[in-house]
């Protein structure tokens, strides 16, 4: 039987061939897409959204969000809802 590491590498490689990105990168992009939608609706706090998608702190989430989008969550929310 193959070792767990071999299987994990094979799955990651196959995923990347099919989807075009590594599994973790895909997951991060998908999570951030969900958060962008939620920020645009403005129904939940940034802290609630951070915890809902698996971040243990708002700070870690904000750093990751900025890395992906180029904006802080607050900046993104304000740009999405200019009337606020």
């Amino acid at each position: 039987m193959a070792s767990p590491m071999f299987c994990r590498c094979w799955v990651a490689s196959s995923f990347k061939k099919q989807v075009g990105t590594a599994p973790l990168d895909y997951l991060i992009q998908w999570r951030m897409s969900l958060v962008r939608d939620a920020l645009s609706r403005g129904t939940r706090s940034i802290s609630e959204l951070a915890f809902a998608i698996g971040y243990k702190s708002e700070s870690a989430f904000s750093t990751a969000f900025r890395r992906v989008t180029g904006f802080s969550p607050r900046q993104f929310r304000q740009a999405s809802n200019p009337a606020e």
Side-chain angles (χ1 to χ4, degrees):
M1 182 166 175
S3 72
M5 181 56 105
F6 174 78
C7 293
R8 196 175 313 133
C9 291
W10 180 83
V11 169
S13 176
S14 295
F15 186 93
K16 187 169 184 173
K17 284 179 188 173
Q18 293 294 316
V19 178
T21 189
L24 184 57
D25 293 336
Y26 180 86
L27 178 62
I28 290 168
Q29 290 295 329
W30 179 70
R31 285 176 170 174
M32 294 303 165
S33 175
L34 294 175
V35 171
R36 284 192 300 265
D37 290 345
L39 286 170
S40 296
R41 287 190 300 275
T43 56
R44 296 174 77 180
S45 74
I46 293 169
S47 183
E48 288 175 322
L49 293 172
F51 289 106
I53 65 164
Y55 285 87
K56 298 202 183 302
S57 75
E58 185 178 338
S59 175
F61 163 69
S62 293
T63 299
F65 189 86
R66 183 183 294 273
R67 188 172 42 250
V68 170
T69 66
F71 299 96
S72 73
R74 263 182 196 70
Q75 291 170 327
F76 188 89
R77 175 171 272 168
Q78 289 168 347
S80 298
N81 301 299
E84 289 184 8

